[in-house]
C-alpha cells in the first residue's frame, strides 16, 4: 500500500513541477511557488471568462489554451 501512495505522491509532484516550472530560478521559495500558482489560477479564470464572453457552450474547457 505504501508503494502505491509513494508512487502517487511522486507522480503529482512531478506533474506540478512540470506545469508550474518549479525548476526555474526564483521558484524555490514559498513566495515563488505562491506566485506561480496564482498566475496559473488567474490564467485559468481568464480563459473561462473569455470562453463565457464569446459564447462557447462549454465555458470550462481550456483545451484550446493549453500549451
Amino acid at each position: 500500500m505504501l508503494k502505491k501512495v509513494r508512487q502517487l505522491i511522486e507522480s503529482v509532484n512531478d506533474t506540478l513541477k512540470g506545469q508550474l516550472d518549479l525548476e526555474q530560478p526564483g521558484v524555490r521559495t514559498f513566495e515563488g511557488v505562491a506566485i506561480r500558482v496564482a498566475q496559473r489560477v488567474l490564467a485559468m479564470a481568464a480563459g473561462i471568462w473569455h470562453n463565457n464572453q464569446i459564447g462557447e457552450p462549454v465555458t470550462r474547457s481550456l483545451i484550446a489554451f493549453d500549451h
Side-chain angles (χ1 to χ4, degrees), residues 26-43:
V27 187
R28 298 183 188 268
T29 64
F30 176 76
E31 291 82 11
V33 172
I35 289 169
R36 292 286 173 128
V37 170
Q39 286 175 338
R40 297 321 192 265
V41 169
L42 289 173

Side-chain angles (χ1 to χ4, degrees), residues 2 8 10-11 14 18-19 21-22 27 29-31 35 39-40 43 47 53-56 58-60:
L2 291 177
L8 174 66
E10 288 181 1
S11 176
D14 189 49
Q19 289 181 353
D21 295 330
L22 295 181
V27 187
T29 64
F30 176 76
E31 291 82 11
I35 289 169
Q39 286 175 338
R40 297 321 192 265
Q53 293 298 307
I54 64 173
E56 283 291 319
V58 181
T59 58
R60 294 192 67 196

